Amino acid sequence: MRASSTVFGVVLATLSASTFAAQNAAPQGDARRGEAIFMTMGCYACHGAVGQGNGRDGPRLSPPVPYAAFLQQVRTPRLEMPAYVAASLSDSQVADIVAYLAGLPRTGDPKAIRALQ
């Protein structure tokens, strides 16, 4: 009896963990759609066309934070950024934006770029 309840507990825990992981997994995003959404929604105005930030209004987004953290920021932003509810920007559209930002070439720290002589 004890062995079967232990096995049942292990199976239940495994199923719960896999369900939790599936629910929290990032949806597959499409970078091309993400770029269009990024521009259409006006994200570029504060964050720059390639997520570089502008030093005043919006922070650098490239490379992006993981999907779950990015979604959290989009839904309940800090500071001046407006909140984007799912009715105006779906979770899959957010995944598209993350895919766009993740696909951009990595740039160096602007402070490390030497001036041309």
Side-chain angles (χ1 to χ4, degrees), residues 39-56:
M39 298 304 171
T40 302
M41 296 300 290
C43 305
Y44 72 89
C46 295
H47 298 288
V50 292
Q52 77 275 15
N54 68 13
R56 188 184 81 238

Side-chain angles (χ1 to χ4, degrees), residues 6-23:
T6 302
V7 170
F8 177 73
V10 170
V11 170
L12 183 60
T14 302
L15 289 174
S16 296
S18 63
T19 301
F20 179 77
Q23 289 173 345

Side-chain angles (χ1 to χ4, degrees), residues 69-101:
F70 195 89
L71 181 64
Q72 173 75 23
Q73 174 62 23
V74 167
R75 299 286 185 242
T76 55
R78 299 173 305 207
L79 305 174
E80 302 297 318
M81 182 175 154
Y84 290 90
V85 296
S88 63
L89 188 65
S90 71
D91 290 359
S92 65
Q93 288 175 310
V94 172
D96 292 339
I97 293 171
V98 171
Y100 164 63
L101 295 171

